[in-house]
Amino acid sequence: MEALEIARWQFGITTVYHFFMVPLTIGLGLVVATLQTLWVRTGKAEYLRMTKFWGKLFLINFILGVVTGLVQEFQFGMAWSEYSRFVGDVFGAPLAMEALLAFFVKSTFLGLWIFGWKRLSRKVHLACLWAAVLASVISAYFILAANSWMQHPVDIEMVDGRPRLNDIWAVLTNSTLLVAFPHTIFGALSVAGGFLLGIAWYHLWKRRMLGIDRLEAVPLTPEGAGESRKSNSKKTVLRVGDRIAADGTVHPDRDATDHKVWFRSLRIGAVVAVFAFAGVAISGDFQAKLMFEQQPMKMAAAEAACQNGTSVSVLSVGDLGSRDCNEVTTVFEVPGLLSFLAHGDFDTEIRGVNSLIPEYQERYGTNLPDNPEIYGDRAGQPVQYVPVMEVTYRGFRIMIGFGALAAFAAAIALVITRKGTVPRSAWLMRLAVFGILAPFGANAGGWIFTEMGRQPFVVAPNPQFTGIDQVFMFTASAVSPGVSAAELIFSLIAFVTVYGMLLIVEIFLLMRYARGGVPKAMPELLESPQDKDSEDPDPDDQQKKDDDVLAFAY
């Protein structure tokens, strides 16, 4: 395997890994800030508990996201120095803004939020969280501005063979960016919605297994109805605040407020997931129409559209890694749908892969430049303008399929939890928990499709760009010429090893604190009134607090 392929694998693995954390950080941050706003406005205890619990999971993911994100910048200089030189004059402005205006702001105010509990006033403390969360959103905007310029370069001039920025405002208002940004934010919210739904479902199911949440007919006496409420159809009573399980075990933290924490978290998560999918679908439609104009080959490959036509392939099969339309067979297609996705009608013919290949060859050449200094052994080789259709085709459908599945599951959850708790079914609980992964899969699939579909360009050409038609860069010329395949293999193994360890750490921490419930964020809920008044606390309890590695956060 040559250096270029290893460098691509390395960047792809680390980027996709990092991108698993980005949408959860953005989406969950917005949810936690909203929950704390509700607590400040209403003073209700359940919103405080929700803020503390979901806020701790947010912090775990944020910290791991920062650590893994730093690697991306080092890779630009190590494995992609030619790419860095080519885009440096353009990317310098938006990435500097991201670092100075967004990264430092979110880091500073998040620190104030972490250590500001009971030290800052409620409103100031809340403002710190909103500042950190909105800075994360702005950070995503600047990063997407750089990525969107790679997809659709605008408003530059060529100086000594390199693009130089003319107007930063043009980069920040790039049409590609204006549709990619809301699509990304809605995708992040879908991840947060599924995250809330799955974990809250587990805790409500756990309460039912403990015999605390019971849907059963009981006499509505003053003694039996203190913390009960009637269901709407079967004349049953839902008890939510017993604290004492069926076997007599006392659970001081599992009171009526604890039930509200999980039930409202589940309902909020489901609503957010459904709302987010609607936003993803609408923004995705705009984005697809734009990509049909800006990167027609990417969209033709994504639909396995080998010939000109109007139909969308619902199912096509072919050899893994195929770029040859002769190896692709369409099994089932929907007439007119491709025209609708591209232009909003059902009869406009869309150019297929076989028609686009000669257009690309005429405009950008049939072979790489014969320059061994930059291209090495790849100099003069034919250019393959068709991306790997298996990746673009499947990635596009994974994005849509997993996203729709997550939204459908959220809508079903809203229906079957309307009585105030979840069913006793263990397999349904497991399905809800594993369903957390669906929106992650949708985000990853969409990102892989977007980046892989741009090949063979690392900076895609903009044929509509006025004045300069040759603003593009082949991926084959972007890799560092002085880095050997052996060095890249070593760094790839090192990154995969470190990232694998970080993955274990993150999953362990998220599972530990998620399963521990609200007491993991508010251990005082487990203290009895006598413990709170005691001047000589139990050393075992103190040891448990000391073992909490995130106790400093609150």
Side-chain angles (χ1 to χ4, degrees):
M1 186 179 291
E2 62 178 0
L4 174 62
E5 295 303 317
I6 300 171
R8 290 184 62 191
W9 273 106
Q10 178 179 282
F11 195 83
I13 290 171
T14 55
T15 301
V16 170
Y17 179 94
H18 175 62
F19 194 69
F20 277 128
M21 301 172 186
V22 171
L24 182 59
T25 295
I26 295 175
L28 192 57
L30 290 169
V31 170
V32 172
T34 302
L35 293 174
Q36 186 168 346
T37 301
L38 291 172
W39 172 59
V40 170
R41 290 179 61 87
T42 66
K44 293 182 178 179
E46 59 265 29
Y47 290 125
L48 174 60
R49 294 189 188 184
M50 292 165 73
T51 302
K52 290 262 191 173
F53 174 77
W54 297 113
K56 183 156 275 192
L57 298 184
F58 164 72
L59 287 176
I60 294 171
N61 190 74
F62 178 88
I63 294 169
L64 269 295
V66 170
V67 172
T68 57
L70 292 174
V71 176
Q72 310 305 311
E73 299 181 12
F74 291 114
Q75 285 192 92
F76 286 137
M78 182 185 72
W80 301 96
S81 61
E82 292 300 318
Y83 161 79
S84 299
R85 290 190 185 96
F86 186 79
V87 301
D89 291 339
V90 178
F91 282 12
L95 294 184
M97 291 179 179
E98 191 274 334
L100 297 175
L101 300 180
F103 183 80
F104 288 135
V105 170
K106 66 184 177 184
S107 300
T108 299
F109 282 98
L110 190 62
L112 290 172
W113 184 74
I114 291 172
F115 297 104
W117 288 97
K118 298 181 181 180
R119 295 176 178 86
L120 301 174
S121 68
R122 287 188 179 184
K123 291 184 178 180
V124 172
H125 189 243
L126 173 63
C128 289
L129 179 58
W130 272 113
V133 170
L134 292 179
S136 295
V137 175
I138 295 172
S139 177
Y141 189 88
F142 287 130
I143 292 173
L144 285 171
N147 181 267
S148 296
W149 189 89
M150 292 164 57
Q151 309 283 346
H152 184 64
V154 295
D155 209 70
I156 54 90
E157 61 179 344
M158 297 297 291
V159 179
D160 297 329
R162 291 167 51 186
R164 180 172 295 176
L165 183 64
N166 280 333
D167 183 6
I168 181 60
W169 183 248
V171 174
L172 297 179
T173 56
N174 189 345
S175 59
T176 305
L177 170 63
L178 296 181
V179 295
F181 176 70
H183 193 65
T184 302
I185 298 303
F186 282 123
L189 287 172
S190 71
V191 169
F195 194 72
L196 263 70
L197 193 158
I199 294 175
W201 191 294
Y202 166 79
H203 281 284
L204 286 171
W205 177 83
K206 192 69 174 177
R207 288 178 63 96
R208 291 213 71 180
M209 294 301 100
L210 291 172
I212 297 175
D213 286 358
R214 300 196 296 272
L215 284 172
E216 59 185 14
V218 296
L220 290 177
T221 61
E223 294 78 14
E227 290 186 342
S228 303
R229 61 184 178 88
K230 295 181 181 179
S231 82
N232 55 2
S233 60
K234 296 185 179 180
K235 296 182 180 180
T236 58
V237 174
L238 171 63
R239 290 184 176 179
V240 297
D242 292 348
R243 293 177 182 264
I244 302 176
D247 62 358
T249 304
V250 179
H251 299 272
D253 59 307
R254 296 185 183 273
D255 53 8
T257 302
D258 182 69
H259 174 271
K260 292 178 182 178
V261 166
W262 304 122
F263 183 65
R264 291 186 181 179
S265 292
L266 188 150
R267 305 288 287 189
I268 290 172
V271 169
V272 168
V274 173
F275 166 77
F277 178 73
V280 166
I282 294 172
S283 61
D285 180 64
F286 284 107
Q287 191 174 28
K289 286 179 169 57
L290 200 61
M291 278 196 288
F292 271 108
E293 296 178 9
Q294 297 176 353
Q295 299 184 49
M297 182 64 81
K298 174 191 290 187
M299 296 306 296
E303 300 295 352
C306 292
Q307 308 299 331
N308 296 353
T310 64
S311 302
V312 160
S313 164
V314 177
L315 177 61
S316 292
V317 294
D319 295 338
L320 183 64
S322 174
R323 300 186 183 192
D324 187 350
C325 278
N326 295 325
E327 300 172 355
V328 177
T329 302
T330 299
V331 178
F332 178 65
E333 62 183 13
V334 178
L337 186 56
L338 185 62
S339 299
F340 180 78
L341 293 174
H343 297 289
D345 58 46
F346 296 95
D347 50 19
T348 301
E349 190 173 73
I350 307 302
R351 291 171 296 169
V353 170
N354 290 336
S355 295
L356 289 169
I357 290 176
E359 293 183 19
Y360 275 73
Q361 289 176 338
E362 180 181 0
R363 188 179 293 270
Y364 309 113
T366 59
N367 296 75
L368 292 172
D370 191 10
N371 187 346
E373 183 178 346
I374 294 178
Y375 292 91
D377 295 338
R378 300 178 298 276
Q381 292 183 358
V383 179
Q384 176 55 265
Y385 287 107
V386 183
V388 180
M389 284 192 283
E390 188 78 15
V391 174
T392 55
Y393 185 85
R394 302 301 174 193
F396 193 61
R397 279 147 184 78
I398 287 173
M399 174 184 66
I400 297 173
F402 279 7
L405 180 64
F408 177 74
I412 295 297
L414 286 173
V415 175
I416 63 180
T417 62
R418 64 188 184 279
K419 290 184 179 180
T421 191
V422 298
R424 297 179 60 89
S425 170
W427 72 265
L428 201 57
M429 178 274 294
R430 295 188 185 98
L431 193 62
V433 172
F434 281 108
I436 293 174
L437 300 177
F440 281 100
N443 275 266
W447 193 254
I448 292 171
F449 154 70
T450 300
E451 300 306 306
M452 289 290 289
R454 186 178 64 238
Q455 300 304 318
F457 302 101
V458 67
V459 175
N462 180 0
Q464 298 176 333
F465 189 68
T466 303
I468 303 175
D469 188 34
Q470 300 296 313
V471 184
F472 65 89
M473 186 181 198
F474 287 118
T475 306
S477 66
V479 69
S480 301
V483 178
S484 67
E487 291 171 327
L488 285 169
I489 289 177
F490 175 80
S491 62
L492 174 61
I493 294 173
F495 282 138
V496 170
T497 302
V498 172
Y499 273 38
M501 295 170 61
L502 291 176
L503 179 63
I504 294 173
V505 170
E506 171 151 18
I507 292 176
F508 170 77
L509 290 176
L510 287 177
M511 290 184 63
R512 175 184 178 185
Y513 286 94
R515 294 180 65 178
V518 177
K520 277 295 184 180
M522 301 179 69
E524 63 270 19
L525 294 176
L526 296 177
E527 297 178 2
S528 66
Q530 292 81 5
D531 293 334
K532 294 179 181 179
D533 296 335
S534 174
E535 295 182 0
D536 186 17
D538 188 338
D540 292 336
D541 291 340
Q542 185 62 41
Q543 181 62 41
K544 291 179 181 178
K545 294 180 182 179
D546 293 339
D547 290 341
D548 184 355
V549 296
L550 293 179
F552 71 89
Y554 302 121

